[in-house]
Amino acid sequence: MSNEEIIAMSASPMPAAAGIGLRAPHVSRVLRERPRVPWFEVHSENLFAAGGSLHGAMERIRADYPLSLHGVGLSLGSADALDSLHLKRLVELVERYQPALVSEHLCWGAVGGRHSNDLLPLPFTEEAVALLASRISQVQDTLGREFLVENISTYLRFQDGDYTEWDFVAEVVRRSGCGLLCDVNNIYVNSVNHGFDPRTYLHSLPRDRVREIHLAGFTRKDEFAVPLLIDTHSRPVDAAVWDLYAEAIAYFGPVPTLIEWDQDIPELEVLLAEAAHAEEVLDAYRACTA
Amino acid sequence: MRTAPALLDLQRCFLDALYDAEETGPTEQLVDVGIEPAARLRIYRHNSELIHLEALRTTFPAVAALVGEAFFEHAAAHYRCMQPSRSGNLQAFGEHFPECLERLPNVQQFPYLGDVARLEWRRQVAVLASETRALTRAEFESRLAALEGAARMALHPSMQRFVSAYPVLALWQYATQPTAERLTLPESGDRVVLWRSEGEVAMAAIDSASFACIDALARGDTLDAAHAAASAQDPSFDLPACITSLVAASLVTEIIPVQPEESSSCACSDI
């Protein structure tokens, strides 16, 4: 598929509104109460099993809400091979649920058949750009649709890169013709961890390819001489990230935005309140541009 | 002049450090500002260890409760090194945990632990098994009436069987739903069947004859053969009652006629 064909297919049925990541503790309540949430995102791997109660629940939820599938285990940047079985499962899932968006991370997680099951950083090299562009093209061709990739948070940097992080992300998106899932929290976390201006990062991204935004909370590690933020998805979105999100919306325009919370998961109301905050930012932008 | 390693070499070196604290990892390739590279790598090793620990804790809650937090962390760390994760899908992590657990020196004085872990892995298999529509009572009876020869029965894919020399069901229930009362364990072991029912895993300890019947059916034996296996355990075994229970629990998905050349006897006259 050419980049032009992929872009032509990208007209997304996902509303430019604030959805939430649907996690196991909230599934039964969502089924019972059908809260006013514009869309949900689920981790693809949680639905990889052939059966189980989650499929039954998700089929009912999918009937009433737009859905985004977000992968954490494809390991696009592994230098040895793409896991063909993992990709096959993803294809089956996409065919079954017809999600509005399908995404993964710009990272690696496994090599030689061993998996860290974490999102590991890549060097910002030409070799890594070429590998990712090739892999993403393979995934898009296999899925027959646009695929989104997400910038990750990192706690180390490799020397000898050919790109800055923001140019690396932009170049991968440009070469592969994929969409971008811009995690604003990850940009902020990395700006603190590696010492750069997050606005420079934001304004270097290809805004015509941004299909989704992620927001989440981080934690601070205090045992080091310099600040270090860990992307734990365990707290409310930080005030500095809300500011950066407002700047992102001003630059990208209204984009489907997701509240992620994966550890110490609170009551659904907390997530709904975070989503309402994101809606206020989207509404404020629309009011200014009306 | 230092040359950057190829990506594959870099990743192998990085992953070695995540699985082995003695491996230094690619510290020479990392930017050394503010926090030393080895400490930055330790963050990733710790994250990966935590991810695998949580995956095992989710799959083996009874084992975790029985051995306590500190020992479970030790067992999980050992397992992770002995049996690295082989999938980007964490639901597959833990298949060999029971055997690994049994080999730990301090576990040998608790010989039932391995079987509690095996029961929990079968629960995981039952949770993730594919969905197949079960026959209703009316459908079952209609198919049965139409049968003219021997038959096999297809059971629901979530159905698992497990035999233990220990009372694993009572141990599992005590570990996951502890009571103030002291646990009195039966001296005999358990024959357990597990299946998925309305999204949850159901478990039942059953008698040896019923277990022999279900085990034979699950292995693809004819009803005749299953009846014979059960009767060898208990001559008064009630085949119709056993099959009726399976149908009532939505565990029979099909009745498969056996071709005449496979068997000439009818297995269903008793139901």
Side-chain angles (χ1 to χ4, degrees), chain A residues 26-36 65 268-269 272:
Chain A
H26 297 141
V27 169
S28 59
R29 197 169 153 201
V30 167
L31 281 173
R32 199 169 56 247
E33 299 177 9
R34 304 295 162 129
R36 288 176 59 84
Y65 297 93
L268 187 60
E269 282 73 12
L272 295 174

Side-chain angles (χ1 to χ4, degrees), chain B residues 188-212:
Chain B
S188 59
D190 278 339
R191 291 175 178 79
V192 183
V193 287
L194 311 86
W195 68 98
R196 196 170 64 230
S197 174
E198 296 181 356
E200 303 292 328
V201 176
M203 300 193 290
I206 60 175
D207 62 85
S208 61
S210 298
F211 189 91

Side-chain angles (χ1 to χ4, degrees), chain A residues 77 79 114-115 117 155 159, chain B residues 2 16 19 29 40 52 85:
Chain A
R114 279 190 304 173
H115 288 251
N117 299 107
Y155 317 115
Q159 300 176 27
Chain B
R2 189 173 56 80
D16 284 347
Y19 269 101
Q29 277 73 51
R40 291 184 182 276
H52 291 145
S85 172

Side-chain angles (χ1 to χ4, degrees), chain B residues 148-159:
Chain B
E148 292 182 352
R152 299 187 173 93
M153 278 181 19
L155 301 181
H156 193 275
S158 71
M159 188 145 198

Side-chain angles (χ1 to χ4, degrees), chain B residues 17-189:
Chain B
L18 298 196
Y19 269 101
D20 184 351
E22 301 296 313
E23 294 286 342
T24 56
T27 48
E28 290 187 2
Q29 277 73 51
L30 302 183
V31 172
D32 186 1
V33 175
I35 302 170
E36 63 171 13
R40 291 184 182 276
L41 268 175
R42 277 198 296 276
I43 294 169
Y44 282 98
R45 184 166 64 241
H46 180 64
N47 280 355
S48 183
E49 287 169 347
L50 269 183
I51 288 165
H52 291 145
L53 170 65
E54 287 307 315
L56 292 176
R57 204 199 310 273
T58 300
T59 305
F60 300 97
V63 171
L66 288 169
V67 302
E69 185 57 33
F71 190 83
F72 191 78
E73 285 184 21
H74 163 71
H78 181 70
Y79 177 65
R80 179 176 179 274
C81 291
M82 300 303 292
Q83 296 281 348
S85 172
R86 295 293 178 190
S87 172
N89 177 11
L90 276 169
Q91 291 170 330
F93 187 60
E95 182 178 5
H96 305 293
F97 187 58
E99 292 74 31
C100 186
L101 187 66
E102 279 179 330
R103 284 197 286 270
L104 289 174
N106 296 339
V107 167
Q108 286 159 8
Q109 57 189 307
F110 307 104
Y112 52 81
L113 267 181
D115 274 2
V116 174
R118 286 184 187 90
L119 181 71
E120 297 206 290
W121 183 254
R122 279 169 175 75
R123 287 179 59 85
Q124 172 84 339
V125 173
V127 164
L128 302 177
S130 60
E131 194 52 78
T132 304
R133 186 181 167 278
L135 297 178
T136 64
R137 174 82 198 175
E139 288 168 337
F140 176 80
E141 287 175 350
S142 160
R143 281 167 170 73
L144 203 59
L147 266 183
E148 292 182 352
R152 299 187 173 93
M153 278 181 19
L155 301 181
H156 193 275
S158 71
M159 188 145 198
Q160 304 289 307
R161 298 99 65 206
F162 182 56
V163 180
S164 173
Y166 305 99
V168 284
L169 203 53
L171 284 162
W172 186 88
Q173 284 163 345
Y174 175 74
T176 55
Q177 297 149 25
T179 63
E181 293 173 22
R182 184 178 172 82
L183 175 66
T184 304
L185 288 174
E187 291 186 3
S188 59

